[in-house]
Protein backbone atom coordinates (compact mmCIF):
# COMPACT_ATOMS: atom_id res chain seq x y z
CA UNK A 1 0.00 0.00 0.00
CA UNK A 2 2.89 2.32 -0.76
CA UNK A 3 2.24 5.88 -1.79
CA UNK A 4 2.76 6.76 -5.48
CA UNK A 5 4.69 9.94 -6.16
CA UNK A 6 4.97 11.41 -9.64
CA UNK A 7 8.38 12.74 -10.51
CA UNK A 8 9.18 14.79 -13.60
CA UNK A 9 12.62 13.78 -14.90
CA UNK A 10 14.55 15.27 -17.82
CA UNK A 11 17.44 13.76 -19.80
CA UNK A 12 20.04 16.14 -21.19
CA UNK A 13 23.35 15.69 -22.99
CA UNK A 14 25.19 15.90 -26.29
CA UNK A 15 23.67 14.26 -29.38
CA UNK A 16 24.24 10.51 -29.72
CA UNK A 17 25.52 9.88 -26.19
CA UNK A 18 22.64 7.44 -25.66
CA UNK A 19 19.89 9.34 -23.79
CA UNK A 20 17.05 7.67 -25.71
CA UNK A 21 18.78 4.30 -25.46
CA UNK A 22 19.00 4.61 -21.66
CA UNK A 23 15.29 5.39 -21.50
CA UNK A 24 14.41 2.54 -23.86
CA UNK A 25 16.44 0.17 -21.67
CA UNK A 26 14.78 1.43 -18.48
CA UNK A 27 11.22 1.47 -19.82
CA UNK A 28 11.15 -1.57 -22.19
CA UNK A 29 14.41 -3.39 -21.42
CA UNK A 30 15.31 -3.12 -25.10
CA UNK A 31 18.21 -1.76 -27.19
CA UNK A 32 18.37 -0.60 -30.83
CA UNK A 33 21.73 -0.53 -32.62
CA UNK A 34 20.84 2.31 -34.96
CA UNK A 35 18.55 4.49 -32.94
CA UNK A 36 17.42 7.59 -34.82
CA UNK A 37 18.17 11.02 -33.29
CA UNK A 38 15.37 12.48 -31.19
CA UNK A 39 13.50 15.41 -32.73
CA UNK A 40 12.32 17.93 -30.13
CA UNK A 41 11.70 15.56 -27.23
CA UNK A 42 10.01 12.26 -26.39
CA UNK A 43 7.81 11.50 -23.37
CA UNK A 44 7.71 8.15 -21.58
CA UNK A 45 6.73 6.92 -18.13
CA UNK A 46 8.00 4.14 -15.90
CA UNK A 47 7.49 3.20 -12.27
CA UNK A 48 10.15 2.41 -9.74
CA UNK A 49 9.06 0.49 -6.63
CA UNK A 50 10.89 1.15 -3.38
CA UNK A 51 10.06 -0.19 0.10
CA UNK A 52 8.17 2.86 1.30
CA UNK A 53 7.00 4.44 -1.95
CA UNK A 54 6.38 4.02 -5.66
CA UNK A 55 7.94 6.64 -7.89
CA UNK A 56 6.25 7.17 -11.24
CA UNK A 57 8.81 8.82 -13.47
CA UNK A 58 7.44 11.14 -16.14
CA UNK A 59 10.44 11.21 -18.43
CA UNK A 60 11.26 13.93 -20.94
CA UNK A 61 13.96 12.62 -23.27
CA UNK A 62 15.32 15.74 -24.98
CA UNK A 63 17.06 16.06 -28.35
CA UNK A 64 20.82 16.62 -28.07
CA UNK A 65 21.37 18.25 -31.46
CA UNK A 66 22.41 21.88 -30.98
CA UNK A 67 19.48 23.24 -33.02
CA UNK A 68 17.14 21.99 -30.25
CA UNK A 69 19.07 23.57 -27.35
CA UNK A 70 16.63 26.45 -26.93
CA UNK A 71 13.76 24.00 -26.23
CA UNK A 72 15.49 22.49 -23.20
CA UNK A 73 14.24 24.99 -20.57
CA UNK A 74 10.65 23.92 -21.34
CA UNK A 75 11.58 20.42 -20.23
CA UNK A 76 13.84 21.10 -17.25
CA UNK A 77 11.62 23.82 -15.80
CA UNK A 78 9.70 22.20 -12.89
CA UNK A 79 11.71 18.97 -13.24
CA UNK A 80 12.47 17.30 -9.89
CA UNK A 81 15.24 15.17 -11.38
CA UNK A 82 17.70 15.28 -14.26
CA UNK A 83 20.00 12.71 -15.82
CA UNK A 84 22.87 14.40 -17.65
CA UNK A 85 24.50 11.91 -20.00
CA UNK A 86 27.94 11.78 -21.63
CA UNK A 87 29.76 9.10 -23.62
CA UNK A 88 32.84 7.65 -21.84
CA UNK A 89 34.53 7.21 -25.25
CA UNK A 90 34.15 10.92 -26.12
CA UNK A 91 35.88 13.50 -23.89
CA UNK A 92 34.05 16.47 -25.44
CA UNK A 93 30.73 14.99 -24.35
CA UNK A 94 31.75 15.42 -20.69
CA UNK A 95 32.42 19.13 -21.34
CA UNK A 96 28.93 19.40 -22.80
CA UNK A 97 27.51 17.56 -19.78
CA UNK A 98 29.23 20.02 -17.44
CA UNK A 99 27.69 22.95 -19.29
CA UNK A 100 24.23 21.35 -18.91
CA UNK A 101 24.86 20.94 -15.18
CA UNK A 102 25.77 24.63 -14.93
CA UNK A 103 22.63 25.62 -16.81
CA UNK A 104 20.49 23.43 -14.51
CA UNK A 105 22.11 24.89 -11.41
CA UNK A 106 21.39 28.41 -12.65
CA UNK A 107 17.94 27.94 -14.14
CA UNK A 108 16.22 24.82 -12.85
CA UNK A 109 14.46 24.06 -9.55
CA UNK A 110 17.08 24.59 -6.79
CA UNK A 111 16.13 21.24 -5.20
CA UNK A 112 16.53 19.27 -8.43
CA UNK A 113 18.27 15.89 -8.04
CA UNK A 114 20.96 15.63 -10.74
CA UNK A 115 22.66 12.42 -11.82
CA UNK A 116 25.64 12.27 -14.18
CA UNK A 117 25.76 9.12 -16.31
CA UNK A 118 28.80 8.05 -18.34
CA UNK A 119 27.27 5.78 -20.98
CA UNK A 120 28.66 3.22 -23.50
CA UNK A 121 31.02 1.50 -21.05
CA UNK A 122 30.62 -1.66 -23.17
CA UNK A 123 32.93 0.02 -25.74
CA UNK A 124 35.81 0.10 -23.24
CA UNK A 125 38.22 -2.82 -23.43
CA UNK A 126 39.45 -3.86 -20.00
CA UNK A 127 43.12 -3.35 -19.12
CA UNK A 128 45.44 -6.22 -19.99
CA UNK A 129 47.09 -8.18 -17.18
CA UNK A 130 50.71 -7.36 -16.24
CA UNK A 131 53.51 -8.46 -18.65
CA UNK A 132 53.76 -5.38 -20.87
CA UNK A 133 53.09 -2.17 -18.90
CA UNK A 134 51.93 -0.33 -22.01
CA UNK A 135 48.86 -2.55 -22.08
CA UNK A 136 47.69 -1.58 -18.61
CA UNK A 137 45.39 1.23 -19.81
CA UNK A 138 41.84 0.51 -20.81
CA UNK A 139 41.38 1.15 -24.51
CA UNK A 140 38.55 3.13 -26.05
CA UNK A 141 37.96 5.17 -22.92
CA UNK A 142 38.44 8.97 -23.08
CA UNK A 143 36.95 9.90 -19.70
CA UNK A 144 38.57 8.24 -16.66
CA UNK A 145 36.02 7.09 -14.09
CA UNK A 146 37.90 8.89 -11.30
CA UNK A 147 37.81 12.22 -13.14
CA UNK A 148 34.03 12.16 -13.61
CA UNK A 149 33.50 10.86 -10.08
CA UNK A 150 35.62 13.67 -8.58
CA UNK A 151 33.72 16.28 -10.60
CA UNK A 152 30.39 14.77 -9.43
CA UNK A 153 31.46 14.84 -5.78
CA UNK A 154 32.58 18.48 -6.02
CA UNK A 155 29.35 19.45 -7.73
CA UNK A 156 26.93 17.40 -5.61
CA UNK A 157 25.76 15.04 -8.34
CA UNK A 158 24.96 11.33 -8.22
CA UNK A 159 27.41 9.51 -10.49
CA UNK A 160 27.02 6.36 -12.58
CA UNK A 161 28.58 4.55 -15.50
CA UNK A 162 26.16 2.70 -17.74
CA UNK A 163 25.71 0.64 -20.85
CA UNK A 164 22.32 1.02 -22.47
CA UNK A 165 23.45 -1.72 -24.87
CA UNK A 166 24.21 -4.35 -22.22
CA UNK A 167 21.88 -2.91 -19.59
CA UNK A 168 24.63 -2.40 -17.01
CA UNK A 169 23.85 0.19 -14.35
CA UNK A 170 20.75 1.57 -16.04
CA UNK A 171 18.04 0.66 -13.50
CA UNK A 172 20.38 1.76 -10.75
CA UNK A 173 20.45 5.36 -12.05
CA UNK A 174 16.68 5.65 -11.68
CA UNK A 175 16.49 3.74 -8.39
CA UNK A 176 19.11 5.94 -6.75
CA UNK A 177 17.29 9.06 -7.95
CA UNK A 178 14.00 7.64 -6.63
CA UNK A 179 15.57 7.13 -3.19
CA UNK A 180 16.51 10.83 -3.12
CA UNK A 181 12.94 12.03 -3.74
CA UNK A 182 11.34 13.07 -0.42
CA UNK A 183 8.07 11.42 0.70
CA UNK A 184 6.80 14.99 1.24
P1 LIG B 1 19.92 12.48 -29.62
O1 LIG B 1 18.50 12.04 -29.54
O2 LIG B 1 20.32 12.90 -30.98
O3 LIG B 1 20.25 13.53 -28.61
O4 LIG B 1 20.85 11.17 -29.25
P2 LIG B 1 20.73 10.24 -27.96
O5 LIG B 1 21.58 10.79 -26.87
O6 LIG B 1 19.31 9.98 -27.63
O7 LIG B 1 21.46 8.89 -28.44
P3 LIG B 1 20.74 7.52 -28.91
O8 LIG B 1 20.12 6.85 -27.74
O9 LIG B 1 19.91 7.79 -30.08
O10 LIG B 1 22.04 6.68 -29.30
C1 LIG B 1 22.94 7.10 -30.32
C2 LIG B 1 23.66 5.89 -30.88
O11 LIG B 1 24.49 5.30 -29.87
C3 LIG B 1 22.71 4.78 -31.35
O12 LIG B 1 23.23 4.20 -32.51
C4 LIG B 1 22.73 3.78 -30.22
O13 LIG B 1 22.50 2.46 -30.65
C5 LIG B 1 24.15 3.93 -29.67
N1 LIG B 1 24.24 3.65 -28.22
C6 LIG B 1 23.46 4.16 -27.25
N2 LIG B 1 23.80 3.68 -26.05
C7 LIG B 1 24.83 2.82 -26.26
C8 LIG B 1 25.63 2.00 -25.40
O14 LIG B 1 25.48 1.93 -24.17
N3 LIG B 1 26.63 1.27 -26.01
C9 LIG B 1 26.85 1.31 -27.34
N4 LIG B 1 27.84 0.55 -27.83
N5 LIG B 1 26.12 2.07 -28.18
C10 LIG B 1 25.12 2.81 -27.64
MG1 LIG C 1 17.57 10.71 -28.37
Amino acid sequence: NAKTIQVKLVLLGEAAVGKSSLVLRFVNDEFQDNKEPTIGAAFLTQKCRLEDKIIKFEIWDTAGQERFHSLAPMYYRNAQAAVVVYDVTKAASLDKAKSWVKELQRQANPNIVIALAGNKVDLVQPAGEGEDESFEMESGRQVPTEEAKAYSNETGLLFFETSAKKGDGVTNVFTEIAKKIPLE
Side-chain angles (χ1 to χ4, degrees), residues 6 14 21 50 94 107 117 122 162 164:
Q6 302 198 357
E14 192 171 84
S21 298
L50 301 182
L94 179 63
Q107 320 250 43
D122 59 279
T162 58

Side-chain angles (χ1 to χ4, degrees), residues 39-56:
I39 303 300
F43 179 76
L44 298 96
T45 67
Q46 175 65 300
K47 285 179 184 163
C48 194
R49 286 177 178 76
L50 301 182
E51 270 176 35
D52 54 340
K53 62 192 172 191
I54 298 169
I55 299 291
K56 184 187 179 195

